PDB file of all heavy atoms in Angstrom:
ATOM      1  N   GLU C 327     -63.190  43.786  10.730  1.00 97.00           N
ATOM      2  CA  GLU C 327     -62.443  42.514  10.300  1.00 97.00           C
ATOM      3  C   GLU C 327     -63.151  41.731   9.151  1.00 97.00           C
ATOM      4  O   GLU C 327     -62.590  40.726   8.783  1.00 97.00           O
ATOM      5  CB  GLU C 327     -62.279  41.611  11.548  1.00 97.00           C
ATOM      6  CG  GLU C 327     -61.426  42.289  12.614  1.00 97.00           C
ATOM      7  CD  GLU C 327     -59.988  42.369  12.366  1.00 97.00           C
ATOM      8  OE1 GLU C 327     -59.599  41.630  11.426  1.00 97.00           O
ATOM      9  OE2 GLU C 327     -59.323  43.210  12.933  1.00 97.00           O
ATOM     10  N   ARG C 328     -64.419  42.106   8.837  1.00 96.00           N
ATOM     11  CA  ARG C 328     -65.088  41.400   7.671  1.00 96.00           C
ATOM     12  C   ARG C 328     -65.574  40.077   8.082  1.00 96.00           C
ATOM     13  O   ARG C 328     -65.718  39.167   7.130  1.00 96.00           O
ATOM     14  CB  ARG C 328     -64.270  41.457   6.479  1.00 96.00           C
ATOM     15  CG  ARG C 328     -63.849  42.887   6.132  1.00 96.00           C
ATOM     16  CD  ARG C 328     -62.965  42.979   4.969  1.00 96.00           C
ATOM     17  NE  ARG C 328     -63.673  42.814   3.705  1.00 96.00           N
ATOM     18  CZ  ARG C 328     -63.026  43.152   2.509  1.00 96.00           C
ATOM     19  NH1 ARG C 328     -61.948  43.626   2.479  1.00 96.00           N
ATOM     20  NH2 ARG C 328     -63.862  42.849   1.460  1.00 96.00           N
ATOM     21  N   CYS C 329     -65.719  39.771   9.317  1.00 98.00           N
ATOM     22  CA  CYS C 329     -66.202  38.395   9.854  1.00 98.00           C
ATOM     23  C   CYS C 329     -67.593  38.129   9.200  1.00 98.00           C
ATOM     24  O   CYS C 329     -67.887  36.969   8.812  1.00 98.00           O
ATOM     25  CB  CYS C 329     -66.393  38.309  11.345  1.00 98.00           C
ATOM     26  SG  CYS C 329     -64.896  38.814  12.205  1.00 98.00           S
ATOM     27  N   CYS C 332     -68.439  36.123   5.830  1.00 97.00           N
ATOM     28  CA  CYS C 332     -68.639  34.612   5.837  1.00 97.00           C
ATOM     29  C   CYS C 332     -69.602  34.026   6.858  1.00 97.00           C
ATOM     30  O   CYS C 332     -70.181  33.006   6.664  1.00 97.00           O
ATOM     31  CB  CYS C 332     -67.238  33.952   5.964  1.00 97.00           C
ATOM     32  SG  CYS C 332     -66.068  34.179   4.586  1.00 97.00           S
ATOM     33  N   HIS C 333     -69.733  34.808   8.001  1.00 98.00           N
ATOM     34  CA  HIS C 333     -70.543  34.203   9.091  1.00 98.00           C
ATOM     35  C   HIS C 333     -71.915  34.913   9.198  1.00 98.00           C
ATOM     36  O   HIS C 333     -72.725  34.575  10.043  1.00 98.00           O
ATOM     37  CB  HIS C 333     -69.813  34.290  10.360  1.00 98.00           C
ATOM     38  CG  HIS C 333     -68.548  33.322  10.487  1.00 98.00           C
ATOM     39  ND1 HIS C 333     -68.693  32.047  10.584  1.00 98.00           N
ATOM     40  CD2 HIS C 333     -67.301  33.620  10.341  1.00 98.00           C
ATOM     41  CE1 HIS C 333     -67.458  31.521  10.528  1.00 98.00           C
ATOM     42  NE2 HIS C 333     -66.585  32.508  10.424  1.00 98.00           N
ATOM     43  N   LYS C 351     -71.509  25.794   4.600  1.00 96.00           N
ATOM     44  CA  LYS C 351     -69.926  25.783   4.670  1.00 96.00           C
ATOM     45  C   LYS C 351     -69.435  26.493   5.888  1.00 96.00           C
ATOM     46  O   LYS C 351     -68.518  26.101   6.585  1.00 96.00           O
ATOM     47  CB  LYS C 351     -69.319  26.324   3.420  1.00 96.00           C
ATOM     48  CG  LYS C 351     -67.848  26.340   3.477  1.00 96.00           C
ATOM     49  CD  LYS C 351     -67.175  26.959   2.229  1.00 96.00           C
ATOM     50  CE  LYS C 351     -65.638  26.908   2.331  1.00 96.00           C
ATOM     51  NZ  LYS C 351     -64.972  27.583   1.239  1.00 96.00           N
ATOM     52  N   PHE C 352     -70.124  27.715   6.152  1.00 97.00           N
ATOM     53  CA  PHE C 352     -69.689  28.537   7.221  1.00 97.00           C
ATOM     54  C   PHE C 352     -70.539  28.313   8.461  1.00 97.00           C
ATOM     55  O   PHE C 352     -71.787  28.361   8.431  1.00 97.00           O
ATOM     56  CB  PHE C 352     -69.865  30.048   6.719  1.00 97.00           C
ATOM     57  CG  PHE C 352     -69.090  30.270   5.493  1.00 97.00           C
ATOM     58  CD1 PHE C 352     -69.789  30.342   4.265  1.00 97.00           C
ATOM     59  CD2 PHE C 352     -67.718  30.241   5.500  1.00 97.00           C
ATOM     60  CE1 PHE C 352     -69.058  30.491   3.072  1.00 97.00           C
ATOM     61  CE2 PHE C 352     -66.969  30.485   4.307  1.00 97.00           C
ATOM     62  CZ  PHE C 352     -67.649  30.621   3.170  1.00 97.00           C
ATOM     63  N   PRO C 353     -69.814  28.021   9.624  1.00 98.00           N
ATOM     64  CA  PRO C 353     -70.641  27.657  10.767  1.00 98.00           C
ATOM     65  C   PRO C 353     -71.402  28.864  11.343  1.00 98.00           C
ATOM     66  O   PRO C 353     -70.967  29.996  11.179  1.00 98.00           O
ATOM     67  CB  PRO C 353     -69.523  27.144  11.779  1.00 98.00           C
ATOM     68  CG  PRO C 353     -68.303  27.852  11.315  1.00 98.00           C
ATOM     69  CD  PRO C 353     -68.343  27.921   9.718  1.00 98.00           C
ATOM     70  N   LEU C 355     -72.165  31.062  14.321  1.00 98.00           N
ATOM     71  CA  LEU C 355     -71.476  31.464  15.626  1.00 98.00           C
ATOM     72  C   LEU C 355     -72.539  31.949  16.558  1.00 98.00           C
ATOM     73  O   LEU C 355     -72.247  31.935  17.811  1.00 98.00           O
ATOM     74  CB  LEU C 355     -70.467  32.536  15.268  1.00 98.00           C
ATOM     75  CG  LEU C 355     -69.446  32.310  14.183  1.00 98.00           C
ATOM     76  CD1 LEU C 355     -68.509  33.466  14.044  1.00 98.00           C
ATOM     77  CD2 LEU C 355     -68.565  31.056  14.435  1.00 98.00           C
ATOM     78  N   GLN C 358     -73.430  30.477  20.371  1.00 98.00           N
ATOM     79  CA  GLN C 358     -72.280  29.603  20.733  1.00 98.00           C
ATOM     80  C   GLN C 358     -71.628  30.127  21.972  1.00 98.00           C
ATOM     81  O   GLN C 358     -71.698  31.172  22.303  1.00 98.00           O
ATOM     82  CB  GLN C 358     -71.277  29.467  19.596  1.00 98.00           C
ATOM     83  CG  GLN C 358     -70.223  28.405  19.798  1.00 98.00           C
ATOM     84  CD  GLN C 358     -70.826  26.970  20.127  1.00 98.00           C
ATOM     85  OE1 GLN C 358     -71.075  26.666  21.257  1.00 98.00           O
ATOM     86  NE2 GLN C 358     -70.984  26.165  19.045  1.00 98.00           N
ATOM     87  N   TYR C 362     -65.782  28.568  24.025  1.00 97.00           N
ATOM     88  CA  TYR C 362     -65.475  27.612  23.003  1.00 97.00           C
ATOM     89  C   TYR C 362     -64.950  28.379  21.782  1.00 97.00           C
ATOM     90  O   TYR C 362     -63.986  28.009  21.121  1.00 97.00           O
ATOM     91  CB  TYR C 362     -66.725  26.808  22.662  1.00 97.00           C
ATOM     92  CG  TYR C 362     -66.542  26.060  21.351  1.00 97.00           C
ATOM     93  CD1 TYR C 362     -65.706  24.929  21.207  1.00 97.00           C
ATOM     94  CD2 TYR C 362     -67.163  26.553  20.111  1.00 97.00           C
ATOM     95  CE1 TYR C 362     -65.595  24.286  20.048  1.00 97.00           C
ATOM     96  CE2 TYR C 362     -66.928  25.825  18.970  1.00 97.00           C
ATOM     97  CZ  TYR C 362     -66.127  24.751  18.850  1.00 97.00           C
ATOM     98  OH  TYR C 362     -65.966  24.129  17.697  1.00 97.00           O
ATOM     99  N   LEU C 363     -65.675  29.514  21.404  1.00 97.00           N
ATOM    100  CA  LEU C 363     -65.243  30.212  20.218  1.00 97.00           C
ATOM    101  C   LEU C 363     -63.808  30.690  20.317  1.00 97.00           C
ATOM    102  O   LEU C 363     -63.139  30.670  19.358  1.00 97.00           O
ATOM    103  CB  LEU C 363     -66.283  31.382  19.884  1.00 97.00           C
ATOM    104  CG  LEU C 363     -67.707  30.885  19.509  1.00 97.00           C
ATOM    105  CD1 LEU C 363     -68.617  32.098  19.463  1.00 97.00           C
ATOM    106  CD2 LEU C 363     -67.667  30.201  18.279  1.00 97.00           C
ATOM    107  N   GLN C 366     -61.302  28.315  19.724  1.00 98.00           N
ATOM    108  CA  GLN C 366     -61.088  27.934  18.239  1.00 98.00           C
ATOM    109  C   GLN C 366     -60.226  28.953  17.678  1.00 98.00           C
ATOM    110  O   GLN C 366     -59.384  28.659  16.842  1.00 98.00           O
ATOM    111  CB  GLN C 366     -62.449  27.896  17.540  1.00 98.00           C
ATOM    112  CG  GLN C 366     -63.380  26.848  18.148  1.00 98.00           C
ATOM    113  CD  GLN C 366     -62.724  25.414  18.289  1.00 98.00           C
ATOM    114  OE1 GLN C 366     -62.185  24.883  17.411  1.00 98.00           O
ATOM    115  NE2 GLN C 366     -62.783  24.935  19.589  1.00 98.00           N
ATOM    116  N   ILE C 367     -60.428  30.210  17.911  1.00 98.00           N
ATOM    117  CA  ILE C 367     -59.627  31.286  17.349  1.00 98.00           C
ATOM    118  C   ILE C 367     -58.065  31.048  17.706  1.00 98.00           C
ATOM    119  O   ILE C 367     -57.197  31.075  16.836  1.00 98.00           O
ATOM    120  CB  ILE C 367     -59.977  32.743  17.838  1.00 98.00           C
ATOM    121  CG1 ILE C 367     -61.413  33.101  17.276  1.00 98.00           C
ATOM    122  CG2 ILE C 367     -59.016  33.836  17.528  1.00 98.00           C
ATOM    123  CD1 ILE C 367     -61.476  33.271  15.868  1.00 98.00           C
ATOM    124  N   PHE C 370     -56.863  28.060  15.697  1.00 98.00           N
ATOM    125  CA  PHE C 370     -56.599  28.435  14.289  1.00 98.00           C
ATOM    126  C   PHE C 370     -55.303  29.118  14.171  1.00 98.00           C
ATOM    127  O   PHE C 370     -54.487  28.868  13.290  1.00 98.00           O
ATOM    128  CB  PHE C 370     -57.709  29.346  13.621  1.00 98.00           C
ATOM    129  CG  PHE C 370     -59.007  28.545  13.335  1.00 98.00           C
ATOM    130  CD1 PHE C 370     -60.276  29.114  13.915  1.00 98.00           C
ATOM    131  CD2 PHE C 370     -59.069  27.501  12.527  1.00 98.00           C
ATOM    132  CE1 PHE C 370     -61.540  28.432  13.517  1.00 98.00           C
ATOM    133  CE2 PHE C 370     -60.242  26.843  12.257  1.00 98.00           C
ATOM    134  CZ  PHE C 370     -61.547  27.348  12.803  1.00 98.00           C
ATOM    135  N   ARG C 375     -55.857  23.763  15.004  1.00 98.00           N
ATOM    136  CA  ARG C 375     -56.977  23.513  14.179  1.00 98.00           C
ATOM    137  C   ARG C 375     -56.677  24.122  12.717  1.00 98.00           C
ATOM    138  O   ARG C 375     -56.281  25.277  12.768  1.00 98.00           O
ATOM    139  CB  ARG C 375     -58.289  23.972  14.565  1.00 98.00           C
ATOM    140  CG  ARG C 375     -59.525  23.777  13.826  1.00 98.00           C
ATOM    141  CD  ARG C 375     -60.846  24.176  14.322  1.00 98.00           C
ATOM    142  NE  ARG C 375     -61.865  24.011  13.394  1.00 98.00           N
ATOM    143  CZ  ARG C 375     -63.065  24.392  13.670  1.00 98.00           C
ATOM    144  NH1 ARG C 375     -63.553  24.879  14.845  1.00 98.00           N
ATOM    145  NH2 ARG C 375     -64.065  24.304  12.693  1.00 98.00           N
ATOM    146  N   ASN C 377     -57.420  25.602   8.999  1.00 97.00           N
ATOM    147  CA  ASN C 377     -58.300  26.006   8.007  1.00 97.00           C
ATOM    148  C   ASN C 377     -57.637  27.294   7.529  1.00 97.00           C
ATOM    149  O   ASN C 377     -57.360  28.233   8.233  1.00 97.00           O
ATOM    150  CB  ASN C 377     -59.670  26.346   8.622  1.00 97.00           C
ATOM    151  CG  ASN C 377     -60.644  26.879   7.540  1.00 97.00           C
ATOM    152  OD1 ASN C 377     -60.808  28.066   7.410  1.00 97.00           O
ATOM    153  ND2 ASN C 377     -61.226  26.049   6.816  1.00 97.00           N
ATOM    154  N   SER C 379     -58.691  29.958   5.451  1.00 96.00           N
ATOM    155  CA  SER C 379     -59.318  31.181   5.725  1.00 96.00           C
ATOM    156  C   SER C 379     -59.177  31.704   7.248  1.00 96.00           C
ATOM    157  O   SER C 379     -58.896  32.851   7.523  1.00 96.00           O
ATOM    158  CB  SER C 379     -60.795  31.142   5.425  1.00 96.00           C
ATOM    159  OG  SER C 379     -61.006  30.717   4.055  1.00 96.00           O
ATOM    160  N   MET C 380     -59.534  30.706   8.135  1.00 98.00           N
ATOM    161  CA  MET C 380     -59.567  31.118   9.532  1.00 98.00           C
ATOM    162  C   MET C 380     -58.048  31.313  10.091  1.00 98.00           C
ATOM    163  O   MET C 380     -57.976  32.064  10.980  1.00 98.00           O
ATOM    164  CB  MET C 380     -60.322  30.146  10.265  1.00 98.00           C
ATOM    165  CG  MET C 380     -61.856  30.318  10.294  1.00 98.00           C
ATOM    166  SD  MET C 380     -62.357  31.980  10.492  1.00 98.00           S
ATOM    167  CE  MET C 380     -61.737  32.294  12.154  1.00 98.00           C
ATOM    168  N   MET C 383     -57.609  34.979   9.282  1.00 97.00           N
ATOM    169  CA  MET C 383     -58.311  35.869  10.093  1.00 97.00           C
ATOM    170  C   MET C 383     -57.824  35.917  11.552  1.00 97.00           C
ATOM    171  O   MET C 383     -57.656  36.971  12.153  1.00 97.00           O
ATOM    172  CB  MET C 383     -59.805  35.438  10.107  1.00 97.00           C
ATOM    173  CG  MET C 383     -60.485  35.308   8.788  1.00 97.00           C
ATOM    174  SD  MET C 383     -60.422  36.841   7.810  1.00 97.00           S
ATOM    175  CE  MET C 383     -61.183  38.106   8.944  1.00 97.00           C
ATOM    176  N   LEU C 387     -55.746  38.868  14.785  1.00 96.00           N
ATOM    177  CA  LEU C 387     -56.721  39.140  15.949  1.00 96.00           C
ATOM    178  C   LEU C 387     -55.957  38.916  17.247  1.00 96.00           C
ATOM    179  O   LEU C 387     -55.483  37.695  17.434  1.00 96.00           O
ATOM    180  CB  LEU C 387     -57.926  38.316  15.847  1.00 96.00           C
ATOM    181  CG  LEU C 387     -59.150  38.665  15.171  1.00 96.00           C
ATOM    182  CD1 LEU C 387     -60.317  37.664  15.553  1.00 96.00           C
ATOM    183  CD2 LEU C 387     -59.593  40.168  15.349  1.00 96.00           C
ATOM    184  N   ILE C 395     -65.586  40.511  19.657  1.00 98.00           N
ATOM    185  CA  ILE C 395     -66.194  40.055  18.371  1.00 98.00           C
ATOM    186  C   ILE C 395     -66.990  38.797  18.692  1.00 98.00           C
ATOM    187  O   ILE C 395     -68.338  38.659  18.334  1.00 98.00           O
ATOM    188  CB  ILE C 395     -65.299  39.689  17.336  1.00 98.00           C
ATOM    189  CG1 ILE C 395     -64.632  40.995  16.882  1.00 98.00           C
ATOM    190  CG2 ILE C 395     -65.850  38.930  16.138  1.00 98.00           C
ATOM    191  CD1 ILE C 395     -63.453  40.878  15.778  1.00 98.00           C
ATOM    192  N   LEU C 396     -66.420  37.922  19.459  1.00 98.00           N
ATOM    193  CA  LEU C 396     -67.191  36.609  19.708  1.00 98.00           C
ATOM    194  C   LEU C 396     -68.330  36.833  20.701  1.00 98.00           C
ATOM    195  O   LEU C 396     -69.315  36.200  20.544  1.00 98.00           O
ATOM    196  CB  LEU C 396     -66.233  35.573  20.253  1.00 98.00           C
ATOM    197  CG  LEU C 396     -65.103  35.223  19.228  1.00 98.00           C
ATOM    198  CD1 LEU C 396     -63.978  34.411  19.828  1.00 98.00           C
ATOM    199  CD2 LEU C 396     -65.656  34.554  18.023  1.00 98.00           C
ATOM    200  N   GLN C 455     -76.980  24.005  14.566  1.00 97.00           N
ATOM    201  CA  GLN C 455     -75.798  24.282  13.704  1.00 97.00           C
ATOM    202  C   GLN C 455     -76.022  23.718  12.277  1.00 97.00           C
ATOM    203  O   GLN C 455     -76.835  22.881  12.066  1.00 97.00           O
ATOM    204  CB  GLN C 455     -74.565  23.494  14.337  1.00 97.00           C
ATOM    205  CG  GLN C 455     -73.286  23.768  13.592  1.00 97.00           C
ATOM    206  CD  GLN C 455     -72.877  25.295  13.388  1.00 97.00           C
ATOM    207  OE1 GLN C 455     -73.446  25.913  12.507  1.00 97.00           O
ATOM    208  NE2 GLN C 455     -72.046  25.840  14.251  1.00 97.00           N
ATOM    209  N   TYR C 459     -71.945  21.660   7.912  1.00 98.00           N
ATOM    210  CA  TYR C 459     -70.809  22.010   8.710  1.00 98.00           C
ATOM    211  C   TYR C 459     -70.500  20.893   9.752  1.00 98.00           C
ATOM    212  O   TYR C 459     -69.410  20.377   9.913  1.00 98.00           O
ATOM    213  CB  TYR C 459     -70.945  23.332   9.385  1.00 98.00           C
ATOM    214  CG  TYR C 459     -69.859  23.606  10.389  1.00 98.00           C
ATOM    215  CD1 TYR C 459     -68.618  23.975  10.020  1.00 98.00           C
ATOM    216  CD2 TYR C 459     -70.242  23.465  11.676  1.00 98.00           C
ATOM    217  CE1 TYR C 459     -67.569  24.114  10.932  1.00 98.00           C
ATOM    218  CE2 TYR C 459     -69.137  23.670  12.680  1.00 98.00           C
ATOM    219  CZ  TYR C 459     -67.845  24.035  12.330  1.00 98.00           C
ATOM    220  OH  TYR C 459     -66.927  24.247  13.252  1.00 98.00           O
ATOM    221  N   LYS C 462     -69.223  17.792   8.234  1.00 98.00           N
ATOM    222  CA  LYS C 462     -67.721  17.916   7.829  1.00 98.00           C
ATOM    223  C   LYS C 462     -66.769  17.774   9.096  1.00 98.00           C
ATOM    224  O   LYS C 462     -65.829  17.140   9.031  1.00 98.00           O
ATOM    225  CB  LYS C 462     -67.489  19.342   7.170  1.00 98.00           C
ATOM    226  CG  LYS C 462     -66.081  19.634   6.895  1.00 98.00           C
ATOM    227  CD  LYS C 462     -65.922  20.860   6.098  1.00 98.00           C
ATOM    228  CE  LYS C 462     -64.502  21.279   5.792  1.00 98.00           C
ATOM    229  NZ  LYS C 462     -63.781  22.016   6.824  1.00 98.00           N
ATOM    230  N   GLN C 463     -67.228  18.443  10.274  1.00 98.00           N
ATOM    231  CA  GLN C 463     -66.420  18.297  11.347  1.00 98.00           C
ATOM    232  C   GLN C 463     -66.322  16.910  11.867  1.00 98.00           C
ATOM    233  O   GLN C 463     -65.294  16.361  12.236  1.00 98.00           O
ATOM    234  CB  GLN C 463     -66.981  19.155  12.540  1.00 98.00           C
ATOM    235  CG  GLN C 463     -67.031  20.673  12.190  1.00 98.00           C
ATOM    236  CD  GLN C 463     -65.794  21.181  11.572  1.00 98.00           C
ATOM    237  OE1 GLN C 463     -64.798  21.036  12.143  1.00 98.00           O
ATOM    238  NE2 GLN C 463     -66.011  21.820  10.463  1.00 98.00           N
ATOM    239  N   ARG C 472     -59.076  17.012  11.871  1.00 98.00           N
ATOM    240  CA  ARG C 472     -59.263  17.916  13.044  1.00 98.00           C
ATOM    241  C   ARG C 472     -58.908  17.206  14.246  1.00 98.00           C
ATOM    242  O   ARG C 472     -59.394  16.067  14.468  1.00 98.00           O
ATOM    243  CB  ARG C 472     -60.668  18.411  13.076  1.00 98.00           C
ATOM    244  CG  ARG C 472     -60.938  19.392  14.274  1.00 98.00           C
ATOM    245  CD  ARG C 472     -62.306  20.103  14.244  1.00 98.00           C
ATOM    246  NE  ARG C 472     -62.488  20.914  15.423  1.00 98.00           N
ATOM    247  CZ  ARG C 472     -63.596  21.490  15.731  1.00 98.00           C
ATOM    248  NH1 ARG C 472     -64.535  21.502  14.959  1.00 98.00           N
ATOM    249  NH2 ARG C 472     -63.647  22.292  16.943  1.00 98.00           N
TER     250      ARG C 472
HETATM  251  C1  HEC L 199     -63.339  33.854   4.133  1.00 92.84           C
HETATM  252  C2  HEC L 199     -64.410  33.381   4.971  1.00 92.84           C
HETATM  253  C3  HEC L 199     -64.235  33.663   6.487  1.00 92.84           C
HETATM  254  C4  HEC L 199     -64.125  34.748   7.113  1.00 92.84           C
HETATM  255  C5  HEC L 199     -63.933  36.183   6.574  1.00 92.84           C
HETATM  256  C6  HEC L 199     -64.250  34.415   8.545  1.00 92.84           C
HETATM  257  N1  HEC L 199     -64.408  33.221   8.723  1.00 92.84           N
HETATM  258 FE1  HEC L 199     -64.576  32.087  10.485  1.00 92.84          FE
HETATM  259  N2  HEC L 199     -64.836  30.356   9.483  1.00 92.84           N
HETATM  260  C7  HEC L 199     -64.807  30.157   8.156  1.00 92.84           C
HETATM  261  C8  HEC L 199     -64.866  28.787   7.849  1.00 92.84           C
HETATM  262  C9  HEC L 199     -64.910  28.164   6.451  1.00 92.84           C
HETATM  263  C10 HEC L 199     -64.957  28.091   9.133  1.00 92.84           C
HETATM  264  C11 HEC L 199     -65.107  26.602   9.305  1.00 92.84           C
HETATM  265  C12 HEC L 199     -63.816  25.858   9.088  1.00 92.84           C
HETATM  266  C13 HEC L 199     -63.971  24.388   9.104  1.00 92.84           C
HETATM  267  O1  HEC L 199     -64.794  23.903   8.206  1.00 92.84           O
HETATM  268  O2  HEC L 199     -63.447  23.711   9.881  1.00 92.84           O
HETATM  269  C14 HEC L 199     -64.907  29.149  10.118  1.00 92.84           C
HETATM  270  C15 HEC L 199     -65.007  28.829  11.532  1.00 92.84           C
HETATM  271  C16 HEC L 199     -64.873  29.835  12.477  1.00 92.84           C
HETATM  272  C17 HEC L 199     -64.956  29.536  13.881  1.00 92.84           C
HETATM  273  C18 HEC L 199     -65.128  28.157  14.457  1.00 92.84           C
HETATM  274  C19 HEC L 199     -66.652  27.831  14.771  1.00 92.84           C
HETATM  275  C20 HEC L 199     -66.859  26.544  15.401  1.00 92.84           C
HETATM  276  O3  HEC L 199     -68.088  26.211  15.656  1.00 92.84           O
HETATM  277  O4  HEC L 199     -65.944  25.815  15.700  1.00 92.84           O
HETATM  278  C21 HEC L 199     -64.918  30.692  14.491  1.00 92.84           C
HETATM  279  C22 HEC L 199     -64.887  30.967  15.994  1.00 92.84           C
HETATM  280  C23 HEC L 199     -64.781  31.739  13.521  1.00 92.84           C
HETATM  281  N3  HEC L 199     -64.745  31.181  12.297  1.00 92.84           N
HETATM  282  C24 HEC L 199     -64.750  33.153  13.810  1.00 92.84           C
HETATM  283  C25 HEC L 199     -64.407  34.140  12.793  1.00 92.84           C
HETATM  284  C26 HEC L 199     -64.222  35.390  13.184  1.00 92.84           C
HETATM  285  C27 HEC L 199     -64.201  36.068  14.558  1.00 92.84           C
HETATM  286  C28 HEC L 199     -63.983  36.158  11.941  1.00 92.84           C
HETATM  287  C29 HEC L 199     -63.668  37.624  11.739  1.00 92.84           C
HETATM  288  C30 HEC L 199     -62.396  38.039  12.501  1.00 92.84           C
HETATM  289  C31 HEC L 199     -64.140  35.174  10.903  1.00 92.84           C
HETATM  290  N4  HEC L 199     -64.400  33.955  11.482  1.00 92.84           N
HETATM  291  C32 HEC L 199     -64.053  35.386   9.597  1.00 92.84           C
HETATM  292  C33 HEC L 199     -64.721  31.238   7.255  1.00 92.84           C
HETATM  293  C34 HEC L 199     -64.568  32.642   7.496  1.00 92.84           C
END
Side-chain angles (χ1 to χ4, degrees):
E327 297 288 340
R328 309 171 72 165
C329 310
C332 291
H333 293 287
K351 174 177 180 190
F352 305 105
L355 307 180
Q358 188 54 277
Y362 167 76
L363 293 174
Q366 301 311 305
I367 294 294
F370 285 128
R375 177 173 175 185
N377 178 265
S379 303
M380 281 311 302
M383 299 310 300
L387 268 190
I395 291 173
L396 298 170
Q455 186 53 281
Y459 170 77
K462 176 173 179 273
Q463 301 312 305
R472 183 172 172 184

